[in-house]
Structure formats: structure tokens, C-alpha cells
Amino acid sequence: MSSDLTPDSDRLLHDGRALLADNRAGGRHRRTTSPIGRGSAELRQRNLMTRIKLIGGSLLAIVFAAMAVGIAIDGIGFTGIMVAFLAVVAATFLFSNFPKVRVPSRSDLNTGDVRHMVARTELWLEHQRPALPPPAVTLVDQIGVQLDALGLQLENVDPVHPAAVETRKLVGETLPGMVDAYRKIPANLRREERAGSTPDKQLVESLGKISNEIDRVTRQLADGALDDLAIRTRYLDYRYGADGEPAALPEPNKQDT
């Protein structure tokens, strides 16, 4: 019995056009997990140093083990040398790939101090990029840079301050929650228009709003530091003079003798 293949053909043509548009917009080259901020880069650097230490320690252990065996049996021979060489290769390969950088779960993001919250959020966002449309990837990279600046500002703010609490919610909950909700939508539905928009467009618009909000909060917190600096500068001008010289001291009162 024959069946109508028209709907399937239309769907394939639609998906083909979407893939072509995606490739023109940058394709899937964005499936990279390069750091988007200083915090995530530091986590990767620590992981790299751990691997290097493990490789170095395993190589030393193999060398000392071979030496001990050689002393005990008066030489390890060609077979022993080959076994030691293969052990070196295996250890190098193993610790060059493990342990991998642990991607935090959503529940882990809004925990700990601000520096670790920012680093974990950056690392989590990096691993979401392959599933995002090109404009959203650009915004995620931009947000990574903004999070670095925001993290520095929040380090000097009381954790219970309303601005700090709201920012933690924005960065640690709202941002990842929105990206997670988008990822749950089937890929073939992300470009379908509904109620005048598509999930792709909604994601980009929401990321843009979050980026603007992070920038606004960062500037607001920076204004406080700038005001404090201005006050201290004015005090120095008053106390020591504008050119760094001590201000003229008031003349002592002369009493009639």
C-alpha cells in the first residue's frame, strides 16, 4: 500500500534550508569549549596542572620501578625495557585525557562564594554553546567577559546586600534556567514561528536582556567605587593641596599682649 511522502519531503526540505542557513551563519564551528571568561580558564588551568603532575609522578614511578627490578635481577633486558616504555606511553596517554574538567550541574551553580559561582557559571555556559544558535553563542561569549567584571565587583560587596542577592539569582538561576529550557525544545522546533516569534529568537532576546542587566549592575557597583575614589581624592586635595603639597596651615590666633 502506497503512502503520502509529501509531509516528510516538506520536512526534509525545511531542515535542509535551516542547515544551509546555519552554515552560512557560521556553521557548527562553534562546537568549541574554549573558555569564555577568566574564571573558567582558571578551572581549566588547574585541571591541566593536575594532569601534568599525574604524568610526571607516574613517569617517575615507572622509572624507579624499572631501576629497582633491574637491581634486583641484575638487569631487565630488552623485554623489560619495552614493558617500561609501553607503561610510559600508557600513563602519558591516560593522564593526558583524564581527569577531565568536571562540568558543574545547574544545582551547583549558585553556591559558594562569588568567584566560584562566576567560574562555574562560565564553565557551564561553555558546554551549552554547541546547542545554541550563532547569535546566542556570540552573546554567551560576551556574557562571559561581563561575568569576569561583575565577579570582581561583587567580591567587595556584602553577600546579603540586595544587589548581590539579586545578581546571584540572575547569574546562577535565571540565566542557566533559560538556556536549559531552550535545550529541552526539540531541534526541529526551535526555528518554527509561534505567536510571532521562534525559540531561537526568544533565546537571543532574553540573553541580550540578561547581558544588558549584567552591564547595568556592574556599572552601578562601579559607580560606588568611583564615588568613593572621588571622595578620597577631594580629601587629599583638601588635606595636602591639589599638587600634592601640604595645604597652607591657618595662621595661629594672635592675642594682644
Side-chain angles (χ1 to χ4, degrees), residues 93-250:
F93 175 80
L94 175 64
F95 295 124
S96 293
N97 296 279
F98 298 96
K100 293 185 179 296
V101 178
R102 178 181 172 273
V103 181
S105 62
R106 269 194 59 194
S107 60
D108 294 334
L109 298 183
N110 194 13
T111 58
D113 58 34
V114 172
R115 178 181 294 275
H116 287 94
M117 181 199 71
V118 168
R120 284 191 294 267
T121 301
E122 290 176 352
L123 188 61
W124 186 85
L125 284 173
E126 289 170 11
H127 286 77
Q128 313 310 310
R129 287 186 297 185
L132 306 182
V137 173
T138 301
L139 283 170
V140 164
D141 292 342
Q142 175 180 312
I143 288 173
V145 177
Q146 292 176 310
L147 288 178
D148 284 339
L150 179 61
L152 291 176
Q153 294 294 333
L154 290 176
E155 285 182 356
N156 301 315
V157 176
D158 191 335
V160 299
H161 190 281
V165 174
E166 186 62 28
T167 301
R168 289 182 68 98
K169 183 177 180 180
L170 174 68
V171 175
E173 297 178 17
T174 304
L175 172 58
M178 181 188 59
V179 173
D180 206 26
Y182 170 83
R183 293 202 58 183
K184 293 178 180 178
I185 301 174
N188 62 313
L189 300 179
R190 293 173 182 172
R191 295 183 179 87
E192 286 192 4
E193 188 168 339
R194 183 179 181 182
S197 186
T198 66
D200 279 2
K201 292 180 181 178
Q202 292 172 353
L203 175 66
V204 172
E205 291 173 358
S206 298
L207 286 175
K209 292 178 181 178
I210 288 179
S211 175
N212 291 336
E213 182 64 15
I214 292 175
D215 182 68
R216 185 190 68 80
V217 173
T218 302
R219 291 178 181 275
Q220 185 179 33
L221 293 173
D223 284 342
L226 292 173
D227 290 342
D228 182 62
L229 177 62
I231 291 173
R232 293 176 183 276
T233 301
R234 287 196 295 271
Y235 170 77
L236 290 175
D237 289 345
Y238 169 78
R239 182 68 179 81
Y240 296 104
D243 297 327
E245 297 295 334
L249 297 177

Side-chain angles (χ1 to χ4, degrees), residues 24-63:
R24 287 174 176 173
R28 296 297 171 177
H29 70 280
R30 61 184 179 275
R31 293 186 182 276
T32 177
T33 54
S34 57
I36 64 173
R38 187 188 69 253
S40 61
E42 290 177 353
L43 291 178
R44 292 176 180 275
Q45 183 66 25
R46 285 200 293 269
N47 177 265
L48 176 61
M49 294 305 298
T50 299
R51 294 185 186 185
I52 291 175
K53 291 177 181 178
L54 288 173
I55 291 174
S58 63
L59 295 185
L60 287 175
I62 293 170
V63 170

